[in-house]
């Protein structure tokens, strides 16, 4: 590497003080320019390598023995230890490496990531404590084995900017927490056990004044309030039981989100037990993604009531994706009291019955784009013959995409083609498992193009993908 290249690589990390420390060397192309760079610049360069590779640079020369200790980013993964070619002492070497890094007498490390197999999970409590002592800003941990995290300042850190935990664990936390600098919080597989010894309240309060991204997957909560005035992206995945078996897995009682800047709202799971409360109760000029799991028949009324409550809180979104594990056959319960989506311009629907689809269209007067994936069920196509034409068909609907098209969707396509006044583009795509189905689908295609078009400017496209086994 030439002198110019070496300086360019580390220019972002060079301070005026660093520049004064750079040794003067001859402009020889073979000169070792990297070794004479300031410690901060060397640490910045070595942080771009895998951590184990950065450590290995210590064998290059005596001058490089300690250069790796100036890295500011650590990313360690012990899963490679369990390959067929691993050495007998590989496990202990990994533990020694982590301990050595955490034992460094410096505050350079700003980012720490660990991916741990079951064998090394036992060290996690002490390692987390050491990381927090170093005022790490970005902490990402994934662990394979179940563990109980000891009480620590993990949820009361003054330095963390990003916290990502994917650990099958139980963690005991104080009822009131504050992470003043945290901007990104991603949690997976965690069971929260609140310390209510000093109060009768069981509500967990997370005070996150600058948080922008919150994600919770497969976590078990009690009542929790998330105070995040700057929150932009909210994602919650929670299932109260395994369908048909009734086995409780991940659940929540009430999740209250105090935020006024949410632009993207996502919920995947059941609503048989928990409820979500938005304060203020709206997602303005944003998008919502709802994936509703199948519920037991005896839970339909309660689940529908909570689903309707959730829909009312996101009724101001401009984009909505609604998906179901199975066709939403209980549409009359789920959507009977649903709100009007006055701002909605984009609607993506997966596996809903015709009754539900028509109800959504009638409550979306300004809809411009409609995307249907594996749309209506085989048994409800008769509804389109007598259905009232939605207002958006007469004034705003311009683009329609029907994916995974099947023969019984012909009535749906006919309804759109014959009634959408300002339709500009309609795309229909299908896939078939057997080539012998091509002839049948070709006949359906010809029938499709024979329908009278309400919009003279509409471009209709039909594509067939054949997967022959």
């Amino acid at each position: 590497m030439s002198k110019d290249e070496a300086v360019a690589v580390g220019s972002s990390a060079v301070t005026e003080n660093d520049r004064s420390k750079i040794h003067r060397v001859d402009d020889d192309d073979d000169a070792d320019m990297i070794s004479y760079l300031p410690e901060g610049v060397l640490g910045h360069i070595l942080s771009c390598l895998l951590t184990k590779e950065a450590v290995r640079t210590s064998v290059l020369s005596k001058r490089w023995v300690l250069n790796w200790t100036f890295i500011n980013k650590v990313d360690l993964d012990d899963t490679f230890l369990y390959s067929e070619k691993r050495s007998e002492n590989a496990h202990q070497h990994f533990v020694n490496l982590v301990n050595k890094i955490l034992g460094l007498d410096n505050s350079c490390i700003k980012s720490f990531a660990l991916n741990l197999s079951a064998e090394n999970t036992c060290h996690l409590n002490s390692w987390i404590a050491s990381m927090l002592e170093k005022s790490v800003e970005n902490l990402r941990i994934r662990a394979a084995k179940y563990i109980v995290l000891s009480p620590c300042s993990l949820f009361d850190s003054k330095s963390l900017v990003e916290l990502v935990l994917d650990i099958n664990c139980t963690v005991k936390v104080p009822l009131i927490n504050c992470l003043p600098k945290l901007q990104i919080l991603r949690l997976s597989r965690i069971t929260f056990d609140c310390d209510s010894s000093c109060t009768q309240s069981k509500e967990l309060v997370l005070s996150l004044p600058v948080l922008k991204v919150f994600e919770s997957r497969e976590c078990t909560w009690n009542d929790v309030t998330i105070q995040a005035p700057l929150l932009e992206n909210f994602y919650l995945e929670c299932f109260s039981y395994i369908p048909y078996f009734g086995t409780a897995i991940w659940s929540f009682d009430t999740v209250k989100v105090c935020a006024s800047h949410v632009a993207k709202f996502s919920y995947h799971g059941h609503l048989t037990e928990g409820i979500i409360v938005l304060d203020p109760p709206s997602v303005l000029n944003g998008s919502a993604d709802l994936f509703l799991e199948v519920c037991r028949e005896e839970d339909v009324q309660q689940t529908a009531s909570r689903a309707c409550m959730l829909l009312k809180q996101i009724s101001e979104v401009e984009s909505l994706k609604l998906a179901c594990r199975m066709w939403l056959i209980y549409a009359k319960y789920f959507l009977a009291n649903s709100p009007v989506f006055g701002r909605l311009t984009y609607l993506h629907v997966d596996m809903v019955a015709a009754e539900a689809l028509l109800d959504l269209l009638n409550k979306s007067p300004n809809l411009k784009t409609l995307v249907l994936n594996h749309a209506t069920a085989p048994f409800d196509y008769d509804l389109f013959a007598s259905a009232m034409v939605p207002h958006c068909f007469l004034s705003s609907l311009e683009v329609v995409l029907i994916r995974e098209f099947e023969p019984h969707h012909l009535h749906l396509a006919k309804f759109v083609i014959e009634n959408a006044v300002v339709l500009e583009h309609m795309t229909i795509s299908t896939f078939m498992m057997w080539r012998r189905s091509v002839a049948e689908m070709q006949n359906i295609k010809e029938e499709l193009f024979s329908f009278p078009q309400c919009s003279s400017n509409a471009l209709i496209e039909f594509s067939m993908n054949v997967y022959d086994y």
Side-chain angles (χ1 to χ4, degrees), residues 129-158:
S130 297
M131 294 174 200
L132 295 175
E133 288 178 0
K134 291 184 172 297
S135 298
V136 170
E137 295 178 358
N138 302 294
L139 180 57
R140 299 181 298 279
I141 302 176
R142 185 181 186 280
K145 185 180 179 182
Y146 175 79
I147 185 175
V148 176
L149 289 184
S150 59
C152 61
S153 56
L154 188 62
F155 287 88
D156 197 23
S157 169
K158 301 298 186 290

Side-chain angles (χ1 to χ4, degrees), residues 221-225 252-256 273-277:
W221 303 83
N222 291 316
D223 290 345
V224 58
T225 295
F252 67 97
D253 292 329
T254 301
V255 174
K256 184 177 181 180
E273 296 181 3
I275 59 174
I276 301 173
V277 179

Side-chain angles (χ1 to χ4, degrees), residues 16-255:
E16 289 299 326
N17 187 44
D18 289 330
R19 291 191 180 96
S20 66
K21 297 179 182 179
I22 298 179
H23 294 238
R24 293 182 176 275
V25 296
D26 296 331
D27 292 332
D28 185 352
D29 289 340
D30 295 328
D32 178 11
M33 297 301 304
I34 295 182
S35 295
Y36 291 98
L37 290 172
E39 295 172 352
V41 179
L42 279 173
H44 178 77
I45 295 173
L46 292 178
S47 296
C48 297
L49 300 175
L50 293 174
T51 303
K52 62 178 182 178
E53 300 297 337
V55 175
R56 287 174 181 172
T57 62
S58 62
V59 303
L60 294 177
S61 69
K62 292 182 179 179
R63 188 179 295 157
W64 279 77
V65 170
L66 295 178
N67 282 343
W68 71 271
T69 64
F70 304 119
I71 58 176
N72 54 47
K73 178 182 178 182
V74 176
D75 193 342
L76 295 173
D77 183 349
D78 77 343
T79 56
F80 70 92
L81 299 176
Y82 299 92
S83 63
E84 296 180 358
K85 297 181 180 180
R86 68 166 181 156
S87 65
E88 294 181 359
N89 298 323
H91 164 66
Q92 190 58 47
H93 286 328
F94 180 85
V95 174
N96 292 341
L97 175 60
V98 177
N99 288 334
K100 188 173 184 179
I101 293 174
L102 290 174
L104 294 175
D105 187 19
N106 64 63
S107 58
C108 296
I109 299 176
K110 298 302 180 184
S111 176
F112 213 112
L114 277 180
N115 186 13
L116 300 179
S117 59
E119 193 169 354
N120 284 322
T121 306
C122 59
H123 302 283
L124 192 53
N125 278 308
S126 61
W127 286 347
I128 290 177
S130 297
M131 294 174 200
L132 295 175
E133 288 178 0
K134 291 184 172 297
S135 298
V136 170
E137 295 178 358
N138 302 294
L139 180 57
R140 299 181 298 279
I141 302 176
R142 185 181 186 280
K145 185 180 179 182
Y146 175 79
I147 185 175
V148 176
L149 289 184
S150 59
C152 61
S153 56
L154 188 62
F155 287 88
D156 197 23
S157 169
K158 301 298 186 290
S159 63
L160 284 175
V161 175
E162 177 183 12
L163 177 59
V164 180
L165 298 178
D166 184 359
I167 309 173
N168 184 12
C169 72
T170 297
V171 57
K172 197 175 189 67
V173 296
L175 284 173
I176 299 178
N177 297 266
C178 181
L179 292 94
K181 294 184 178 180
L182 195 67
Q183 297 182 24
I184 300 174
L185 178 60
R186 293 187 171 98
L187 306 172
S188 299
R189 303 184 295 150
I190 296 176
T191 297
F192 288 89
D193 183 10
C194 297
D195 184 2
S196 57
S197 57
C198 300
T199 176
Q200 294 182 347
S201 173
K202 294 183 179 180
E203 180 183 356
L204 171 63
V205 178
L206 294 178
S207 180
L208 309 164
V210 297
L211 189 73
K212 294 183 178 180
V213 177
F214 174 87
E215 294 182 9
S216 172
R217 303 171 187 268
E218 305 177 20
C219 294
T220 299
W221 303 83
N222 291 316
D223 290 345
V224 58
T225 295
I226 301 169
Q227 297 178 345
L230 302 183
L231 186 65
E232 298 174 358
N233 190 334
F234 175 88
Y235 179 97
L236 177 63
E237 178 183 289
C238 202
F239 305 95
S240 58
Y241 60 86
I242 299 176
Y244 311 117
F245 294 97
T247 303
I249 42 177
W250 318 301
S251 63
F252 67 97
D253 292 329
T254 301
V255 174

Side-chain angles (χ1 to χ4, degrees), residues 342-410:
R343 294 173 178 260
L344 193 67
T345 60
Y346 179 95
L347 175 62
H348 183 139
V349 180
D350 288 8
M351 298 184 73
V352 295
E355 185 178 1
L357 175 60
L358 288 168
D359 191 84
L360 282 169
L361 292 175
N362 282 315
K363 293 176 177 178
S364 307
N366 297 305
L367 189 67
K368 292 184 177 181
T369 301
L370 174 64
V371 180
L372 300 172
N373 254 7
H374 202 68
T376 53
F379 49 79
D380 56 17
Y381 58 83
D382 287 339
L383 287 173
F384 292 106
S386 57
M388 180 184 299
V389 178
H391 183 271
C392 61
F393 276 48
L394 305 176
S395 61
S396 59
L397 188 64
E398 299 174 351
V399 179
V400 176
L401 284 73
I402 303 178
R403 299 167 180 167
E404 299 187 42
F405 182 87
E406 295 184 25
H408 62 265
H409 295 149
L410 188 62

Side-chain angles (χ1 to χ4, degrees), residues 315-344:
S315 62
E316 298 297 317
V317 294
E318 294 181 351
S319 172
L320 173 63
K321 181 177 180 181
L322 177 61
C324 305
R325 180 68 69 184
M326 295 180 65
W327 286 294
L328 191 51
I329 57 177
Y330 301 111
K332 61 182 179 181
Y333 297 112
F334 279 81
L335 299 170
N337 297 310
S338 62
V340 173
F341 294 91
R343 294 173 178 260
L344 193 67

